[in-house]
Amino acid sequence: MDYKKLDIFSPIILVLLVLIYLIFSFIGFEYHLKELVGINIVTVAVIFIGLLFYILGVYLSRKILIKKSFSINQKRLEKLASKKLILSLVILGILLQIINMIYLGGIPLFSGYLKAKAVTRIWLLSYLLFLPSINILIAKYDDKKYYILFLIGLLLFVLTGYRTTAMAIVLSVFITVYYTKKLPWKYIIIAIVAMFILLMVVGYVAVQSIEWQTWTLNPLELIFYRAGYTLQVLDHAVFMQGSTNGQLIYNTLTGFMKSTDPRVIVGSTTLGYAHSTTSTIFGPALLDFGLIAMIIQMFILGAILGVLYNIQTRFKDLFISLYAILLAHVIIWIETGPTDLVILLFFLITIIVVLYTINFKNRRGVND
């Protein structure tokens, strides 16, 4: 096998990472971390059904695109990705996050009470501006000083105490660099290990700082426990399909309008008490509308990532950034599930940009 031609960040990586997540959860079950008990075989079957339709979405998107001829509107693309505009948006995103910290009056990473209030409208706008802009800046304009802005932004988002946000920034930028710099395998392995350590450290510090909880697990045990716990929540969801009757998607779409946190609804539905809980990438759709909804969700995710993967392979720069952002968040959804408005907005922005800049035509001579 020619490892130099292996693309580790094709959409199929999601399947591998779900399998790794299952292994992590079963380690937690095996050692009964904080009384984990395991999941039903039916839940495992549901996971594989979801993955099957995700793969089908990726495959069919490729088959459809083979029959299409691509062209790009260069003028429109340059307007969207001008250096001055993108750099200004990166700096504005950083400044907004600083303002958010001042508004909160402290560092949420070290306080559970502040963390509960950290995701404000200012935070939302900051993240929407910073994440795509820093990725575009690094992908399109090769200048090492822009990595300083990346590190400043990363530090500020780490201080909010949300490991998923920090991981999305690191992972998306790493995917962007992977496609633009052609990194040697030793650097890729070092980077993956570093991201895993960052995940452990930020997650451990964040939970230790929650004043009303006591944790005795070490950072590595915490990783296995979180995987096992989240799989057990999914297990409940599999046997409670349709219980939330669309509340999760409604409250996700109406985020920042004093709606209920969808993860609290997941917790109150599956566990019987109000607690912010994740249910993997499969759980929310199952709770809202059942197995068919989950199958449709996974197929659409596979199709979107498949289309964008093929576009970024051909046109590079801006499209690499968009693909990196979406793939990074879908990977994170393996645990958290699609219950964040900001990530759905990234999907919407990406679809608009593709429709605005790419022209699709049927290829002559290709049989349907």
Side-chain angles (χ1 to χ4, degrees):
M1 183 176 182
D2 187 353
Y3 291 99
K4 292 182 179 180
K5 294 182 179 180
L6 179 64
D7 187 353
I8 62 171
F9 286 114
S10 79
I12 299 301
I13 190 177
L14 183 78
V15 177
L16 175 62
L17 292 177
V18 169
L19 297 178
I20 292 173
Y21 196 80
L22 280 172
I23 292 171
F24 279 17
S25 68
F26 279 100
I27 291 173
F29 298 149
E30 178 68 23
Y31 289 94
H32 301 288
L33 298 177
K34 288 184 70 68
E35 300 179 354
L36 291 176
V37 295
I39 58 175
N40 195 289
I41 190 66
V42 174
T43 301
V44 177
V46 167
I47 290 172
F48 279 95
I49 290 171
L51 292 178
L52 176 63
F53 278 89
Y54 173 82
I55 295 170
L56 185 62
V58 174
Y59 174 76
L60 288 181
S61 69
R62 181 177 179 275
K63 295 292 287 185
I64 292 171
L65 287 176
I66 286 175
K67 300 178 181 180
K68 298 288 184 180
S69 176
F70 294 63
S71 64
I72 188 168
N73 190 315
Q74 198 64 43
K75 289 183 179 179
R76 289 181 176 181
L77 184 63
E78 289 304 317
K79 285 181 181 179
L80 290 175
S82 82
K83 184 188 289 190
K84 287 184 179 180
L85 174 62
I86 298 302
L87 185 57
S88 298
L89 292 178
V90 169
I91 294 171
L92 180 57
I94 289 172
L95 291 176
L96 285 172
Q97 196 54 244
I98 293 172
I99 292 170
N100 193 44
M101 291 288 187
I102 295 171
Y103 169 76
L104 292 170
I107 300 176
L109 178 62
F110 305 120
S111 169
Y113 296 106
L114 289 178
K115 181 182 176 182
K117 300 186 294 183
V119 182
T120 63
R121 288 181 175 86
I122 299 174
W123 179 95
L124 173 66
L125 182 57
S126 171
Y127 193 55
L128 275 173
L129 293 176
F130 177 77
L131 187 61
S133 301
I134 194 64
N135 275 280
I136 294 170
L137 200 62
I138 289 172
K140 191 170 177 62
Y141 304 104
D142 188 12
D143 194 325
K144 291 182 180 179
K145 67 174 177 285
Y146 296 144
Y147 290 95
I148 297 174
L149 293 174
F150 157 67
L151 292 173
I152 293 171
L154 174 62
L155 176 62
L156 288 170
F157 281 98
V158 164
L159 293 178
T160 64
Y162 287 93
R163 62 196 175 99
T164 54
T165 307
M167 285 307 302
I169 294 171
V170 172
L171 183 55
S172 64
V173 169
F174 178 62
I175 295 170
T176 294
V177 172
Y178 169 81
Y179 281 116
T180 56
K181 305 297 182 186
K182 296 182 180 179
L183 297 175
W185 270 98
K186 63 179 180 180
Y187 293 134
I188 293 172
I189 294 171
I190 291 171
I192 291 172
V193 171
M195 284 188 284
F196 185 76
I197 293 172
L198 176 66
L199 175 66
M200 284 198 301
V201 171
V202 175
Y204 186 73
V205 172
V207 298
Q208 291 294 334
S209 300
I210 299 175
E211 293 85 348
W212 56 88
Q213 294 183 1
T214 302
W215 292 86
T216 57
L217 301 177
N218 64 48
L220 187 59
E221 288 175 330
L222 186 61
I223 292 285
F224 298 140
Y225 169 74
R226 288 293 294 260
Y229 174 83
T230 303
L231 258 294
Q232 286 189 174
V233 176
L234 173 63
D235 193 57
H236 288 294
V238 167
F239 293 96
M240 301 177 70
Q241 293 181 36
S243 299
T244 52
N245 297 307
Q247 291 182 60
L248 295 176
I249 187 63
Y250 172 79
N251 283 277
T252 297
L253 295 175
T254 57
F256 298 95
M257 294 173 59
K258 296 185 178 179
S259 58
T260 305
D261 182 351
R263 292 173 188 172
V264 173
I265 297 174
V266 171
S268 59
T269 302
T270 59
L271 305 178
Y273 60 94
H275 179 65
S276 183
T277 305
T278 57
S279 57
T280 79
I281 194 171
F282 311 101
L286 287 168
L287 284 172
D288 261 354
F289 304 112
L291 182 64
I292 298 300
M294 187 273 286
I295 287 172
I296 294 172
Q297 169 196 284
M298 296 306 296
F299 178 83
I300 291 174
L301 281 178
I304 291 174
L305 287 178
V307 168
L308 195 56
Y309 175 74
N310 283 278
I311 290 174
Q312 68 88 14
T313 300
R314 179 166 179 177
F315 295 118
K316 312 300 181 184
D317 55 52
L318 172 67
F319 299 102
I320 287 176
S321 307
L322 296 175
Y323 176 71
I325 291 167
L326 295 194
L327 181 61
H329 282 108
V330 171
I331 288 172
I332 291 168
W333 274 354
I334 292 173
E335 179 182 344
T336 64
T339 55
D340 297 290
L341 175 62
V342 65
I343 303 172
L344 298 183
L345 290 175
F346 283 135
F347 272 86
L348 178 61
I349 291 168
T350 298
I351 292 170
I352 291 172
V353 170
V354 169
L355 294 176
Y356 181 69
T357 58
I358 301 290
N359 297 316
F360 298 93
K361 295 181 181 179
N362 287 323
R363 287 184 176 177
R364 294 180 181 178
V366 177
N367 296 322
D368 292 327

